[in-house]
Amino acid sequence: MTKRALVVGYTGIQGHAVAAKLVADGWEVLGLARTPKEQAGVTGIAADLTDPESLRAALDGIAPTHVFLTTWLRMESEAENIRVNAEMLRNLFAALRPANSVEHVALVTGLKHYLGPFEAYGKGQLPKTPFREDQGRLDVENFYYAQEDEVFAAAGADGFTWSVHRPHTVIGKAVGNAMNMGQTLAVYATICRETGRPFRFPGSQVQWDSLTDMTDARQLAAQVAWAATSDDARNEDFNVVNGDVFRWSWMWGRIADWFGLEAEEFDGTERPLEQQMAEDAELWAEIADRHGLAERDLHRLASPWHTDADLGRPIEVVTDMSKSRARGFTGYIATDKAFFDLFETLRADGIIPGA
């Protein structure tokens, strides 16, 4: 039977990679977004998850067998995050329910499951690393938990299976995405190279010294696609990272070398990118014009606040992948290669200048 996927949020880092993987695997792929974009093999659907009427109209006659949830909406408080993001999923499931076609729903969340939401990020009593799925939820309100609960409730009502996927800081391309470390560092390194500024690590001493990991969007997509059709992955939650660990004291120099820069020796002083890049919007527009780049709006490419949150954490972050490994998922991508592949793509697409 034809596998028909509905990728919700397909224009973002995660959704774009998931849609591309499913297309490559021979799925029929529909992509839902407020503002659809062209993507090879994907039929775009314009819909707003906060508007039940428009959502029902957009999905009328659509009968996906699998749904991949890769989007969320950031609000001013965690209480609002919970209310709005839970409502979005309820609206979606209500719109899909008449077709009675959904067999599996995959929800992508992240390590805030273990680290806490933005308002309490990395604070309080946290589970020990490496983070494992059996460590459960923190005793705090968290919109990831609310999203999970909406999936569980709909699964019980509608009879589909589910999987939950928790990546750590996703590396991938997406113009206009609110959380994009790889692209942010590429823009920052380009500015340093163009202006002669020192290439300074913006984060904490703990992150500089400690082990950490990350998730290539292609690795996430591979696990999500595997879980969608694997009996061993039904009704399970999974961490998903690249499979290697590193220290930023090593990775920062690797990134500097790729851009032809010399990494400034880190002296333990935090210099957040949000401060370093605060006045760079006009400068980036000039760089974009000089090199004929595809995007001159710095704010559509870089998310310094999110990169600062990750690189400024005062705790080690290492994620265990044993659960999905034991069930048959064997994907692996070296994280420095993940960065380099992204940088090559950004150059090829005219997002950053050539060498």
Side-chain angles (χ1 to χ4, degrees), residues 83 192 221 272:
R83 183 185 68 80
C192 290

Side-chain angles (χ1 to χ4, degrees), residues 173-174 182-183 186 341-353:
K173 179 197 170 187
Q183 204 164 271
D341 287 352
L342 171 63
F343 300 156
E344 291 285 3
T345 297
L346 295 177
R347 276 186 175 170
D349 293 348
I351 303 297
I352 60 174

Side-chain angles (χ1 to χ4, degrees), residues 188-347:
Y188 173 61
T190 298
I191 289 172
C192 290
R193 191 178 67 183
E194 293 282 324
T195 62
R197 289 187 200 170
F199 186 60
R200 290 172 168 162
F201 181 70
S204 68
Q205 187 73 55
V206 171
Q207 287 303 300
W208 183 254
D209 292 334
S210 298
L211 291 172
T212 193
D213 49 33
M214 294 181 72
T215 308
D216 189 297
R218 298 167 297 181
Q219 174 82 334
L220 169 63
Q223 191 196 67
V224 167
W226 161 78
T229 56
S230 171
D231 290 343
D232 289 336
R234 290 177 179 173
N235 302 333
E236 297 287 352
D237 53 351
F238 298 111
N239 295 330
V240 52
V241 287
N242 288 335
D244 64 345
V245 294
F246 65 91
R247 303 180 201 277
W248 277 104
S249 56
W250 174 79
M251 186 67 77
W252 197 250
R254 295 284 287 160
I255 293 173
D257 289 345
W258 196 93
F259 283 94
L261 297 167
E262 183 175 345
E264 182 177 86
E265 187 66 28
F266 182 58
D267 63 2
T269 302
E270 293 190 32
R271 299 179 175 89
L273 289 180
E274 198 161 22
Q275 296 175 14
Q276 292 192 52
M277 302 176 70
E279 306 298 325
D280 284 345
E282 185 175 341
L283 172 61
W284 181 259
E286 293 173 359
I287 293 171
D289 290 343
R290 185 163 64 251
H291 291 280
L293 301 181
E295 180 57 67
R296 65 195 309 273
D297 185 349
L298 177 68
H299 303 297
R300 285 180 51 76
L301 298 178
S303 49
W305 67 271
H306 179 257
T307 300
D308 288 339
D310 277 0
L311 297 184
R313 287 180 298 213
I315 54 174
E316 175 186 80
V317 179
V318 177
T319 314
D320 183 72
M321 281 274 286
S322 298
K323 185 175 181 181
S324 62
R325 298 294 193 215
R327 285 166 171 75
F329 179 71
T330 58
Y332 171 87
I333 298 176
T335 302
D336 57 342
K337 184 179 188 303
F339 274 120
F340 301 159
D341 287 352
L342 171 63
F343 300 156
E344 291 285 3
T345 297
L346 295 177
R347 276 186 175 170

Side-chain angles (χ1 to χ4, degrees), residues 155-191:
D158 299 337
F160 57 75
T161 61
W162 54 266
S163 58
V164 174
H165 306 266
R166 299 180 187 130
H168 175 203
T169 310
V170 179
I171 301 171
K173 179 197 170 187
V175 175
N177 190 270
M179 300 190 296
N180 196 334
M181 180 192 284
Q183 204 164 271
T184 298
L185 293 180
V187 169
Y188 173 61
T190 298
I191 289 172

